[in-house]
Amino acid sequence: MEILWFLLALLMLAAVVGPVMLRRRGGIRQVAPGSPDAADPDTYGFARQEELDVRMPGPDQDLLDVLDIVQGTGAWRAASQLLAGTPKESEIRWQRVQAFAGAASLELGQRPGEGGAWLRKWRAEAPKDAGAAAVHAEFLVQQAWRTGTVGTDDFRIILEEARTVCGEAALLAPGDPVPYIVELAVARGLGYTHEQFDQVWAKIIDRAPAHMGAHIAALHFWCEKWHGSREDADHFATAAAARAPQGSLLAALPLFALYEHLPEVNLVHGFYQGTAVTKAVGGAMFAVHAARPDDPMLAHARHLLVLFLVRMERWSEAMNQLVHIDGHVGALPWTENPDPAAEYTVYRALAVAGYEANGGSPATLLH
């Protein structure tokens, strides 16, 4: 009986820490973490799990430098200057607003009543700063989703305040789509009608018609689990992909729609080799290859591709995506897990194991 309990404990441990793989007769099997046979991320130049940055999908050294200043000294002017120098319609402005808001929200969670004081000071000392208003609105949205329960009075009160601040931010920066992108999350949480949502969406399209981040945010609203359906989400994604300009990552949007409607338990044999998945992954791969190397949204598409390519057992292609994104895990699908770094590490280990099981090695991996 003691042996049985010991074996059950080992199985539970493996389920918690995630599978670590190795090559064995063309297949993949689990080995214990720390085993000499376990995949070593250093072999491929990958970061160790504890080194993975969960704040951003990809590198942005200017943002990291400013975050260090702001969080270390409370000197909010560095954040204000960075946002003021970031083009309003750019994808990276939206990502930086999210990052500043997320940093303040996490600080507050770690140090209630004290954390994020630099944001409060920023808003108080520079009430006409458009960047501060946008970050404040996004901060409120993140607080609502992080600390509240959808549909409760507290949740709605925070989102109502966020909607008010979105309006203030829009008035301070008339050509900036970011306040309206923030409002898309408010619309989802408060249950805007389709007509109300379309009014917000029209303002975004007028300002930044090919904004990938905005399209991903809007897609959530149209999903079956929120205020649309599988068909609504698919129509929204495919229509955006069809009108995508050359080099736009909007061609990858159908893959995001597919991800939002994956079954919690897959009972269909060969689902990931089916037409729908193959077509969506093909579109995303095309978009990634055609995109500018410095496109801030490129990492988002690559992160999602890793999940699908691993599940499709397309190991070499998954490894080629990992080479570009490793080190940062602040993106879907990992951020839906309480421990994004751990979830990402599991898929990376699977990719390494599958790659090696089919004859791959660090020497054959293209960088």
Side-chain angles (χ1 to χ4, degrees):
M1 179 61 73
E2 288 80 8
I3 294 176
L4 177 59
W5 283 113
F6 176 73
L7 291 174
L8 286 173
L10 285 179
L11 288 172
M12 291 175 67
L13 177 62
V16 171
V17 301
V20 181
M21 308 300 180
L22 85 165
R23 178 173 53 181
R24 180 65 61 87
R25 298 177 185 173
I28 303 170
R29 75 174 178 85
Q30 291 185 342
V31 295
S35 163
D37 293 321
D40 185 351
D42 287 343
T43 304
Y44 289 87
F46 293 150
R48 294 192 173 275
Q49 181 174 326
E50 62 272 16
E51 299 170 343
L52 295 169
D53 192 325
V54 302
R55 297 171 296 178
M56 300 181 298
D60 183 348
Q61 193 58 49
D62 289 341
L63 174 62
L64 288 177
D65 292 343
V66 170
L67 275 173
D68 285 342
I69 294 171
V70 170
Q71 294 187 292
T73 68
W76 56 263
R77 286 178 176 80
S80 177
Q81 291 169 2
L82 181 64
L83 288 181
T86 306
K88 292 178 180 178
E89 71 283 355
S90 67
E91 301 276 0
I92 199 167
R93 179 178 175 83
W94 167 229
Q95 291 191 19
R96 287 172 171 174
V97 166
Q98 287 183 299
F100 283 128
S105 181
L106 287 173
E107 280 185 35
L108 185 60
Q110 294 164 356
R111 304 194 313 275
E114 298 179 10
W118 53 268
L119 177 55
R120 295 190 292 275
K121 188 176 180 182
W122 185 6
R123 281 290 276 155
E125 296 182 3
K128 300 300 182 182
D129 188 322
V135 172
H136 184 201
E138 174 64 18
F139 166 81
L140 290 168
V141 165
Q142 293 194 26
Q143 280 296 103
W145 292 100
R146 181 173 284 122
T147 63
T149 301
V150 176
T152 62
D153 288 343
D154 288 345
F155 179 80
R156 295 187 64 86
I157 288 170
I158 298 174
L159 286 186
E160 290 285 2
E161 184 180 356
R163 176 161 58 181
T164 299
V165 180
C166 284
E168 295 173 8
L171 289 174
L172 291 169
D176 189 352
V178 168
Y180 300 105
I181 301 175
V182 176
E183 193 176 350
L184 294 178
V186 175
R188 180 158 51 100
L190 293 182
Y192 280 23
T193 66
H194 289 184
E195 291 74 20
Q196 290 173 315
F197 182 89
D198 287 340
Q199 290 172 8
V200 178
W201 183 242
K203 293 173 182 176
I204 295 171
I205 293 299
D206 285 345
R207 290 161 175 77
H211 199 291
M212 179 66 173
H215 279 79
I216 293 175
L219 178 65
H220 294 314
F221 180 90
W222 293 113
C223 287
E224 187 174 64
K225 59 187 175 184
W226 289 107
H227 307 294
S229 65
R230 188 184 301 261
E231 292 73 22
D232 288 335
D234 185 62
H235 174 74
F236 177 81
T238 54
R243 63 173 182 269
Q246 180 67 31
S248 169
L249 282 164
L250 286 176
L253 199 61
L255 186 65
F256 286 83
L258 180 63
Y259 171 73
E260 291 294 335
H261 294 91
L262 287 177
E264 291 186 12
V265 178
N266 178 32
L267 301 177
V268 179
H269 179 69
F271 174 81
Y272 285 96
Q273 284 70 42
T275 302
V277 174
T278 301
K279 182 179 178 181
V281 167
M285 293 285 281
F286 169 81
V288 163
H289 288 307
R292 300 188 328 271
D294 63 346
D295 190 319
M297 294 303 295
L298 186 54
H300 287 271
R302 290 190 187 278
H303 279 288
L304 193 59
L305 274 169
V306 167
L307 177 137
F308 278 94
L309 291 170
V310 166
R311 292 185 180 182
M312 297 170 81
E313 300 183 7
R314 289 164 59 171
W315 313 115
S316 179
E317 291 166 289
M319 290 293 287
N320 286 331
Q321 299 304 320
L322 286 167
V323 165
H324 292 283
I325 60 173
D326 194 74
H328 299 83
V329 294
L332 288 174
W334 327 121
T335 51
E336 293 200 334
N337 188 282
D339 190 342
E343 181 76 355
Y344 168 83
T345 303
V346 168
Y347 275 84
R348 186 178 65 185
L350 285 166
V352 169
Y355 181 64
E356 293 184 350
N358 288 276
S361 71
T364 60
L365 183 60
L366 297 175
H367 283 74

